[in-house]
Amino acid sequence: MISWRNRGKVLSFFLPGMFVMDGRTGLYPAVSLTGPRCGLMCDHCRGRLLETMLPAETPEALLSLAVEMKKKGKEGFLVSGGSAPDGSLPYPRFHEVIREIIDRTGLTVTVHAGYLDAGTARLLKKAGVRQALVDVIGDEQTARRVYHLERGTAPVWETLDALTEAGLEPVPHVVVGLDYGRITGEYRAVERLAAYRPRRLVTVVLTPLSGTPMKGLAVPPPEDVAGFLVVARGVLPEAWHHLGCARPTGLYRRRLDRLAVRAGINAMALPSDEALEEAERLGLETLWRKTCCSLAGLETGKD
């Protein structure tokens, strides 16, 4: 198997800080720089995901929150927030305090990049941010219809260019079924990503949320998502491949997790019992961490 040849027979499981699993809480929460507010209001979220994040709407509030997280034994945190209509987040206001936080606490800081320019990418790199998570969309109409990006997918690739030039690792995320449950540009997104040679690719699955236009939608079956994982591995054979925390729960998750382990995934957030069973059946070494799965590989020194 390509995965085992390039990354060994190791599967890392992750518990991010926004979740509780079997009585355990993750040590890597998400923080919103805009509180519950979002100017972009993508159809699949409409700001609902911000409700799960800790608010820190000023540099002073972010510093205070970070110091408190350090006292509570957190390992780091993901900085996110609602986007402006152009897809940007207010990082120019916060880069100096992020640098101070890292210097004072030693916490690991990653960010949801949103869509940013070269100057902002350089500021985040200078601040000591470890990774920038980027939603990658391969279909022009989906970018406009679902993400409300007037320029289509152009901001996606401009952001990846900016991060690459700044030397800040981009961690592409592909949402399978983003086009109202249909698979449209996901394969094109991965093919185009090959030129960037990302160290990691995170696959997530559309999870229809109440309060959004996508409530009640059917999502791609687990077998189709697993097929995408297999193709993505072929296109990016040397990358770490992750199954992220955003995916439907219940029977769907149990079916998908088993298939994902068989497909050679390297990292998985919030694994089901079926994932654990399949890993044991295949003789995989398993590791556990209470952070975002984007940090996979760092715990083994095999990044």
Side-chain angles (χ1 to χ4, degrees):
M1 182 180 287
I2 296 174
S3 173
W4 297 351
R5 183 171 67 246
N6 290 337
R7 294 298 175 190
K9 294 186 67 174
V10 179
L11 177 54
S12 298
F13 294 124
F14 289 81
L15 174 59
M18 303 84 75
F19 300 93
V20 178
M21 186 176 179
D22 297 330
R24 297 173 296 170
T25 303
L27 300 177
Y28 205 92
V31 176
S32 172
L33 300 183
T34 64
R37 297 185 304 281
C38 180
L40 198 56
M41 295 295 281
C42 303
D43 284 5
H44 68 306
C45 173
R46 291 294 171 94
R48 292 296 311 278
L49 295 177
L50 299 176
E51 298 171 6
T52 67
M53 301 180 187
L54 302 172
E57 300 183 47
T58 66
E60 295 77 15
L62 184 61
L63 176 59
S64 176
L65 180 60
V67 170
E68 188 64 25
M69 285 192 283
K70 179 65 175 181
K71 291 179 181 177
K72 293 180 177 179
K74 304 301 183 184
E75 294 186 19
F77 57 98
L78 171 66
V79 184
S80 186
S83 299
D86 64 354
S88 65
L89 278 79
Y91 289 126
R93 288 183 55 220
F94 287 87
H95 74 279
E96 291 182 348
V97 77
I98 291 174
R99 177 75 269 174
E100 182 179 355
I101 287 167
I102 293 171
D103 289 342
R104 284 181 56 177
T105 68
L107 293 170
T108 298
V109 178
T110 53
V111 301
H112 272 142
Y115 300 114
L116 49 74
D117 58 21
T120 302
R122 288 192 294 269
L123 290 176
L124 292 175
K125 174 64 175 179
K126 185 178 180 181
V129 169
R130 186 62 179 267
Q131 296 172 329
L133 284 54
V134 184
D135 290 349
V136 176
I137 310 165
D139 179 70
E140 295 293 331
Q141 293 307 311
T142 301
R144 292 184 171 90
R145 181 168 55 249
V146 177
Y147 270 57
H148 307 157
L149 295 172
E150 293 182 358
R151 298 173 55 229
T153 66
V156 174
W157 310 111
E158 291 169 1
T159 296
L160 289 170
D161 289 339
L163 293 170
T164 301
E165 292 170 5
L168 175 55
E169 183 194 355
V171 182
H173 283 54
V174 174
V175 184
V176 178
L178 180 62
D179 185 17
Y180 277 78
R182 297 179 291 268
I183 295 178
T184 50
E186 289 85 333
Y187 287 96
R188 289 196 295 276
V190 172
E191 290 168 0
R192 190 163 177 181
L193 277 172
Y196 294 88
R197 301 183 66 183
R199 291 201 289 271
R200 297 168 179 82
L201 174 67
V202 179
T203 298
V204 295
V205 184
L206 176 71
T207 305
L209 300 174
S210 61
T212 74
M214 296 192 183
K215 177 184 177 181
L217 279 180
V219 299
E223 292 76 11
D224 289 0
V225 179
F228 173 79
L229 293 174
V230 171
V231 171
R233 168 69 68 185
V235 175
L236 301 170
E238 297 182 0
W240 289 84
H241 288 256
H242 311 206
L243 187 61
C245 53
R247 59 191 193 277
T249 57
L251 177 61
Y252 185 99
R253 177 168 296 195
R254 297 196 295 272
R255 289 171 56 196
L256 174 57
D257 285 6
R258 191 179 293 278
L259 292 170
V261 175
R262 292 177 186 172
I265 209 79
N266 304 114
M268 180 184 294
L270 305 177
S272 62
D273 289 343
E274 283 73 7
L276 305 179
E277 293 168 1
E278 194 64 22
E280 182 177 4
R281 187 185 71 81
L282 293 173
L284 303 180
E285 177 187 356
T286 56
L287 303 173
W288 279 90
R289 284 202 63 189
K290 295 182 178 181
T291 68
C292 284
C293 75
S294 70
L295 296 171
L298 303 179
E299 76 276 20
T300 64
K302 297 179 180 179
D303 177 36

